[in-house]
Amino acid sequence: MRKVKVTNVQSSWDYERLSEACHKAGCILCRLTGETTRRYLETWKDEMFTDVNVRTTLRSSRGFCHTHTWQLVQMGASLPLAQAYRDIITDEIEQLANDSGKHKQRWFHSKSDDTSSSTAPCPACQQSDQSLARFTSSLRQAISDPTFYTLFLSSHGLCLDHFHLTCTLKPLTTPETWLPLLRTAQLTILQRLNDQLSELIRKYDYRYKNEAPGPEMTAWQTAAALVAGDATPPP
Ligand SMILES: [Zn+2]
Ligand SMILES: [Zn+2]
């Protein structure tokens, strides 16, 4: 295996973050993108929500998506949400009031005239997508490093969505250097989890119930996170 020189400052920072995530439970990309998105929401809640440009962006996206709106509710973003969502409700009232007078004519408009349903994407989802693309690219570089490869093997690996994304997301630069390593590592991790699940299921049998529990007892949670992606990190 080729030793990779990490010279770029950003790559080095990502390498450290990826390595730290290998020591924690769950998919490392779910964890890192979740942390980045959470920091973005914290900054919005603490500082950005008063910024005129940010308010305009949120008006055009009609707020955050369902997931990020409720994450902010859980984070206690009372004043920021009150202000941002009042903007949106004010717009809606204005549009309804203006439309009510010409309601009948609207029935005769063609579909192409109606732009009210086109909204910009959720800004937090955009942050999450950008962060995911960056960490995916950094992971491809890091996997060729023997130290990181060993760390990755000991981790929970990637959830199924993020594994397939890491294998296919463009640009696919020099896949021959990282794709076989990533596939082998993920296969080893999946086989280990599969063995643990089998052991867990075996111990549920009344004949073996007196056997001491082992690391397989949490395999059901690991499998859930691996198949469906990690739960949103708690506030
Ligand atoms: Zn994931
Ligand atoms: Zn979102």
Side-chain angles (χ1 to χ4, degrees), residues 27-29 132-133 135-141 143 152 158-173 175 178-179 182-183 186:
C27 163
I28 62 176
L29 291 179
L132 179 59
F135 280 120
T136 300
S137 162
S138 298
L139 173 61
R140 287 170 174 176
Q141 289 177 38
I143 200 83
F152 184 78
L158 299 177
C159 69
L160 301 192
D161 277 356
H162 284 150
F163 173 68
H164 291 296
L165 184 90
T166 306
C167 291
T168 56
L169 188 71
K170 289 180 179 165
L172 275 173
T173 314
W178 53 265
L179 189 53
L182 180 69
R183 292 172 73 94
Q186 180 82 356

Side-chain angles (χ1 to χ4, degrees), residues 65 68 122 124-125:
C65 67
H68 292 128
C122 161
C125 282

Side-chain angles (χ1 to χ4, degrees), residues 10-232:
Q10 183 65 62
S11 300
S12 168
W13 187 81
D14 284 359
Y15 181 91
E16 293 301 323
R17 302 286 314 282
L18 287 162
S19 301
E20 285 165 17
C22 285
H23 292 292
K24 296 175 180 166
C27 163
I28 62 176
L29 291 179
C30 281
R31 174 171 289 280
L32 293 176
T33 52
E35 285 175 359
T36 306
T37 310
R38 184 178 173 80
R39 271 199 305 279
Y40 168 80
L41 293 176
E42 299 254 5
T43 312
W44 178 79
K45 172 173 93 77
D46 295 339
E47 304 162 23
M48 282 162 46
F49 76 97
T50 54
D51 183 283
V52 175
N53 293 330
V54 174
R55 284 178 74 167
T56 305
T57 303
L58 270 179
R59 278 184 124 118
S60 65
S61 64
R62 285 196 201 145
F64 296 98
C65 67
H66 178 272
T67 301
H68 292 128
T69 296
W70 287 103
Q71 196 174 347
L72 281 161
V73 170
Q74 287 188 324
M75 289 162 71
S78 48
L79 177 63
L81 280 176
Q83 184 182 288
Y85 283 43
R86 186 186 60 174
D87 286 345
I88 296 153
I89 287 167
T90 306
D91 288 347
E92 192 70 18
I93 290 171
E94 199 176 302
Q95 194 178 343
L96 270 174
N98 286 341
D99 282 1
S100 60
K102 42 188 177 181
H103 182 70
K104 280 185 181 169
Q105 291 101 302
R106 281 178 63 79
W107 288 105
F108 298 105
H109 283 183
S110 70
K111 246 187 169 179
S112 58
D113 291 336
D114 186 5
T115 54
S116 61
S117 60
S118 60
T119 49
C122 161
C125 282
Q126 283 186 300
Q127 287 286 323
S128 175
D129 289 348
Q130 285 169 15
S131 146
L132 179 59
R134 201 189 75 209
F135 280 120
T136 300
S137 162
S138 298
L139 173 61
R140 287 170 174 176
Q141 289 177 38
I143 200 83
S144 305
D145 177 76
T147 306
F148 181 81
Y149 186 82
T150 307
L151 258 183
F152 184 78
L153 269 183
S154 67
S155 78
H156 287 167
L158 299 177
C159 69
L160 301 192
D161 277 356
H162 284 150
F163 173 68
H164 291 296
L165 184 90
T166 306
C167 291
T168 56
L169 188 71
K170 289 180 179 165
L172 275 173
T173 314
T174 58
E176 66 280 4
T177 60
W178 53 265
L179 189 53
L181 290 167
L182 180 69
R183 292 172 73 94
T184 305
Q186 180 82 356
L187 177 63
T188 306
I189 291 165
L190 290 183
Q191 284 171 332
R192 186 175 62 220
L193 180 60
N194 194 37
D195 291 346
Q196 289 179 342
L197 289 168
S198 300
E199 184 66 353
L200 171 70
I201 293 162
R202 186 185 71 81
K203 285 188 179 174
Y204 261 83
D205 189 312
Y206 73 96
R207 289 170 294 174
Y208 310 111
K209 270 197 167 168
N210 292 330
E211 288 186 22
E216 75 284 344
M217 297 317 285
T218 55
W220 61 282
Q221 289 161 313
T222 308
L226 197 122
V227 173
D230 279 2
T232 305

